[in-house]
Amino acid sequence: MVTEDFPVLVLGTHNAKKKREMALLLAAEGWELRSLADYPQSLEVEETGTTFAENARLKASVQARHLGVWVIGEDSGLEVDALDGRPGIFSARYSDPGATDERNNDKLLEELAGLPLEKRSARYVCHIALSDAEGNILAEVERNCRGRILFERSGHHGFGYDPLFEIVEYHQTFGQLSDTVKSCLSHRARAMRAFVREISRLLPERKPPKEAITSNLTTFRFG
Ligand code: IMP
């Protein structure tokens, strides 16, 4: 349901690195953004879905109803062909329930041990859903980014599996490529661009005027 006033969009993630990537991608399009850091009463939404889409919708609609604002839910992860799509929706907790990026990457290398490069193809997937304050999903998109899993880590940019995930055309991992390059090529960047097109269609006349960045790190308004 479109409200009379231009709605503030809240990025429904507690992951600081994802939040940063998404804030940069959306702010460049002129939307007023907030993050969960602006809402101390925000929830930790349990990911009980069986697909990226279900989890993104859950994160958006549960948080939106709770906070009474429009929320963007995002769910993403890594699908490795040789592992029949694992770790998939379990990417964040692949090695164990309290997983770290370090342990997840170790487990991935162990599971792929002995496989030659041509059998290490993989893709990152990102699903984004927008919920209004009543929990209705107004827009959603899913995009991916293909690459392959190298034999050892390279680079320190990005997060998660980035040091192992090579973009074949660049001969470099997302750990080596700059944030600027990742913000053009990644699953999240592709999904965000498509998402911005979707919400611009949804609220064509409500795009805010271009303004300078005036605010703190978690609240942006510029275009
Ligand atoms: P989520 O918070 O449940 O969506 O989990 C996402 C998980 O997928 C992260 O913790 C990472 O392990 C992985 N992931 C998603 N996007 C990226 C990315 O851009 N780079 C590296 N790992 C990612």
Side-chain angles (χ1 to χ4, degrees):
M1 195 66 64
V2 174
T3 57
E4 275 314 297
D5 297 315
F6 181 78
V8 167
L9 302 179
V10 178
L11 299 177
T13 178
H14 291 284
N15 179 322
K17 296 213 168 166
K18 269 192 192 176
K19 189 173 77 192
R20 184 167 165 269
E21 286 187 7
M22 292 173 73
L24 287 173
L25 289 161
L26 266 174
E29 301 291 336
W31 294 83
E32 178 167 351
L33 301 176
R34 298 212 181 127
S35 85
L36 293 183
D38 295 308
Y39 296 87
Q41 74 276 35
S42 65
L43 299 169
E44 194 63 63
V45 179
E46 217 188 319
E47 297 182 22
T48 53
T50 57
T51 61
F52 292 114
E54 284 177 15
N55 281 336
R57 287 181 207 133
L58 264 179
K59 288 185 206 176
S61 60
V62 173
Q63 199 78 262
R65 277 199 305 272
H66 177 69
L67 298 176
V69 293
W70 289 32
V71 173
I72 299 171
E74 189 263 18
D75 200 49
S76 53
L78 178 73
E79 293 184 338
V80 179
D81 295 328
L83 302 178
D84 297 322
R86 283 188 299 113
I89 59 166
F90 301 106
S91 294
R93 44 203 154 121
Y94 176 40
S95 63
D96 57 279
T100 59
D101 288 348
E102 208 52 26
R103 291 206 295 272
N104 281 337
N105 281 320
D106 285 343
K107 173 155 181 187
L108 185 58
L109 287 175
E110 266 166 47
E111 283 217 89
L112 297 182
L115 271 188
L117 203 49
E118 64 273 16
K119 296 205 171 140
R120 299 171 81 99
S121 56
R123 62 180 199 156
Y124 278 133
V125 180
C126 174
H127 195 101
I128 298 177
L130 172 67
S131 170
D132 68 14
E134 286 79 47
N136 304 302
I137 299 299
L138 302 180
E140 56 187 323
V141 297
E142 184 164 308
R143 292 292 185 273
N144 66 66
C145 168
R146 294 206 67 87
R148 63 187 175 193
I149 306 301
L150 296 186
F151 299 97
E152 57 185 39
R153 297 161 171 83
S154 290
H156 299 283
H157 290 286
F159 66 99
Y161 301 92
D162 284 346
L164 290 176
F165 188 86
E166 184 197 44
I167 301 296
V168 178
E169 297 82 352
Y170 282 68
H171 306 290
Q172 283 188 311
T173 67
F174 269 149
Q176 292 169 293
L177 291 165
S178 68
D179 294 351
T180 313
V181 173
K182 188 178 178 192
S183 74
C184 293
L185 299 179
S186 79
H187 50 315
R188 196 165 298 102
R190 288 173 180 170
M192 234 357 149
R193 283 196 295 269
F195 178 71
V196 165
R197 282 196 297 277
E198 284 293 307
I199 56 176
S200 301
R201 268 201 286 277
L202 191 69
L203 301 168
E205 74 288 12
R206 286 180 169 77
K207 195 157 179 180
K210 291 192 172 200
E211 287 179 17
I213 310 169
T214 52
S215 204
N216 61 39
L217 279 176
T218 56
T219 307
F220 298 77
R221 188 186 175 100
F222 67 94

